[in-house]
Amino acid sequence: MNLLAQASGLFAGPIQDPVQVFLIIVAIMLLAPLIFERLKMPGLIGLILAGVLVGPHGLNILARDATIELLGTVGLLFLMFLGGLETSLGDLKGSAGKTATFGLATFLLPMALGTGAMLAIGYSPLAAILVASCFASHTLVSLPILSRLGLMRSQSVTVTLGATLITNILALLVLAVVVRATSGELTLSFWLFLIPALIIYTAATLLGVPYLGRWFFRKFGHDESAEFVFVLATLFVVSVVADLIQIEPIVGAFLAGIALTPLIPQLSPLMNRLQFIGNTLFVPFFLISVGMLVDPLVLVRQPQSIMVALVMIAAEVSSKFLAAFGAGKLFKFSFPNIMVMFGMSVAQAASTLAAITVAFDIELVDELTVNGTIAMILVSCILSPWITTHWGKKMQPESGTSATGEVMGLLGDRVLVPVSNPSTENNLLQLALILVKRGEGTVLPIHVIASVDEQIRQPALIQQQQLLETAETVAHAAVVQVETIGRVDDSIDKGIIRAAAEKRASLIICGWKGYSTYRENFFGGVLDNIVRLATVPVLITRFPEPLQNAQRIVLAATEMETSPYEFEQAIILAKTLSDELKAPLHLIQFVADPKRSRLAELDLDLIEESLPVHRVHGNFSGKVSRFLDPGDLLLLTTGTRRIGQPVLGKAPEAVARRCPKNSIITLHFPRLL
């Protein structure tokens, strides 16, 4: 009887038991996207409508209490942060003109149309301007869809991400000005504080956070938990500081993502954890909390709300479409790209509601406006994911992507990585994971115990198991296939070569101390034998700094010792590292005849017009060393080795001695006789 009584009273009021509340929310997160995706609709719509259903204006199963608001706010910050992580300053600089144009268009058009529409239905000038500023801002609700479609690095998405930063800052500035004007506090001191504070805050975030992050990853990069907590702490510290200087925290979250993006490779385990936690837990909380704000019956209770809501929806949607359409045509974007820009920029969510709530609290707008805003939020949040999904699937991939992916599919098919030193294997694995994930292949961590007799010490076997388990854990965290190889052989180099042949490896990655002894040069060391005997390409790497700290990728190649085919493979590898590490790429080409260049023989699709090419002649290692800046990652191609020379040729060792703090990757292709 008690059970029946509890069951009958289940929906009598909001559930208070925290376990039951969390169970219902997790059930929504699981079922709503699955159901709506089966109906060919974005899962985000299911989460929003589920929030309407279980919220205080629906079945009243859950209350939008402080806990829901907290997790919803965290979800909004995480959404903007992930958007920032997908955006590099290099991308923004490369499309700065287009970003500024669309940012101003998607702000000014909604401001103009919105102000005129609200004045037409009897709003005061200040109230009309404030409501129009809500039309101008937008929330990137559909961002997870673009990430899933692999479109985050497309130019139209990059332009919209940058425009979001511009229009949101301007909209929040309008809000601050209107509030001050309403209370009679719009003074010179307000402007003298806000503008310098905004400039200093932006510069400090974009310059200070990367510097602090590089130091932290250098000192504590071996601790994956510490890395994750550091990123979270950075997100919330930057957001709190934004709030302290009267800037919306979502702007701070976006800036924090942009500042950290050079330090977190796109395919790294850390990025995978951040995206998993954000897209699986926090962002769904935000979408459910937005749905819980909506009261669909208000249109029935207050018929006048229908007119206000229709005017607001029409003004917001039409102005956002005109801004996207006009800017897209100006940039000569295809129609699917234009519609994705529109889909990204049309959604209104918590920031819009926060602004209208502020206006309601100071009695600048009435309850009808609040209800109309909520209706606009509901329509835009349903429209945005649908448009983004429909047109995002029709977008064409960026030029050169397929060629790069094809070659990475060959090199990254089965990557063999020797693991022997816990302090250095992390960088080797990170490099392997980048190539393997791009090529959708398998990473093969290997540890070889050299033994000339049958006696193998137990500590050596235990260490081998520990190293391979650590490598397997890192690979699983990055969601890649992994096959660990524990081997006992006559020597380390023979074990690696034999394993590469048995496991059909497509690439071998080895570590290098940066120099070779004369004995190794003359008689051959481990690396020398691997390079000499390998039948697949070999990457010889030296990482005095964490891989993610690379600020530029510099490819240096000599035409006299490098064939056009090898040159093309090196360029594709360099572009892959540049894309994943979000570091600009520079090409140094050593030519015998400055008037002629093998670049003319290469596939032009692989070389972007914006790629800086520096042609030099003379002393190769000296020219390269002088070109390098601290933090650069140098990628070299090797030529034929002569007896008595360093294993990889003279140039890599000469550069390593002159630039001991620069990371170096030397690419060796097998010499086929």
Side-chain angles (χ1 to χ4, degrees), residues 43-44 47-48 51 79 141 282-292:
L44 299 182
L47 292 170
I48 295 171
L79 183 66
V141 170
F282 290 130
V283 173
F285 256 115
F286 161 66
L287 297 172
I288 293 171
S289 70
V290 169
M292 295 174 71

Side-chain angles (χ1 to χ4, degrees), residues 115-131:
T115 301
M118 302 315 290
L119 287 174
I121 59 175
Y123 277 64
S124 66
L126 283 179
I129 292 173
L130 190 141
V131 172

Side-chain angles (χ1 to χ4, degrees), residues 482-498:
V482 56
E483 296 179 19
T484 58
I485 305 170
R487 191 179 184 93
V488 179
D489 216 310
D490 297 338
S491 63
I492 294 176
D493 48 358
K494 290 181 180 179
I496 292 173
I497 292 299
R498 289 167 179 167

Side-chain angles (χ1 to χ4, degrees), residues 100-110 319 323-324 327:
T101 300
F102 182 50
L104 291 175
T106 198
F107 170 77
L108 294 175
L109 274 174
S319 61

Side-chain angles (χ1 to χ4, degrees), residues 446-658:
I446 180 174
H447 183 273
V448 180
I449 298 176
S451 177
V452 295
D453 51 36
E454 297 182 357
Q455 295 183 354
I456 304 172
R457 295 181 178 180
Q458 189 66 22
L461 292 174
I462 294 175
Q463 183 188 32
Q464 181 184 75
Q465 182 180 2
Q466 291 174 341
L467 289 170
L468 292 177
E469 286 178 351
T470 300
E472 186 175 14
T473 301
V474 172
H476 283 315
V479 195
V480 300
Q481 296 184 23
V482 56
E483 296 179 19
T484 58
I485 305 170
R487 191 179 184 93
V488 179
D489 216 310
D490 297 338
S491 63
I492 294 176
D493 48 358
K494 290 181 180 179
I496 292 173
I497 292 299
R498 289 167 179 167
E502 293 169 3
K503 297 295 183 178
R504 296 175 288 107
S506 59
L507 178 70
I508 301 174
I509 300 179
C510 296
W512 178 47
K513 58 182 177 291
Y515 61 89
S516 303
T517 64
Y518 185 77
R519 178 182 176 84
E520 291 172 335
N521 294 334
F522 196 85
F523 295 103
V526 173
L527 286 180
D528 184 74
N529 292 331
I530 291 174
V531 169
R532 179 170 54 85
L533 298 174
T535 58
V536 296
V538 180
L539 292 182
I540 307 298
T541 64
R542 172 181 176 271
F543 289 114
E545 294 281 336
L547 178 62
Q548 62 265 33
N549 282 9
Q551 298 182 39
R552 291 194 308 176
I553 307 298
V554 179
L555 169 60
T558 59
E559 287 189 332
M560 294 180 296
E561 297 181 342
T562 307
S563 68
Y565 170 77
E566 295 172 356
F567 206 177
E568 289 182 2
Q569 309 311 299
I571 289 177
I572 293 172
L573 175 61
K575 287 182 63 177
T576 299
L577 294 176
S578 175
D579 290 342
E580 299 304 328
L581 299 176
K582 301 182 181 70
L585 173 61
H586 291 259
L587 172 61
I588 300 178
Q589 187 185 22
F590 183 80
V591 294
D593 184 356
K595 297 181 180 180
R596 299 186 61 186
S597 169
R598 284 188 180 177
L599 272 176
E601 304 175 22
L602 300 179
D603 185 354
L604 295 179
D605 290 337
L606 303 178
I607 304 176
E608 301 174 1
E609 295 181 359
S610 59
L611 174 63
V613 179
H614 311 271
R615 296 185 180 89
V616 299
H617 62 282
N619 187 296
F620 178 75
S621 59
K623 293 288 180 68
V624 171
S625 300
R626 285 190 290 271
F627 181 83
L628 293 178
D629 293 331
D632 286 350
L633 188 156
L634 176 64
L635 178 61
L636 294 170
T637 58
T638 60
T640 304
R641 172 185 174 269
R642 297 179 179 86
I643 295 178
Q645 289 186 356
V647 57
L648 303 177
K650 289 184 177 180
E653 185 165 328
V655 175
R657 292 184 183 277
R658 294 184 182 185

Side-chain angles (χ1 to χ4, degrees), residues 532 640 670-673:
R532 179 170 54 85
T640 304
R671 300 295 177 183
L672 302 178
L673 300 177

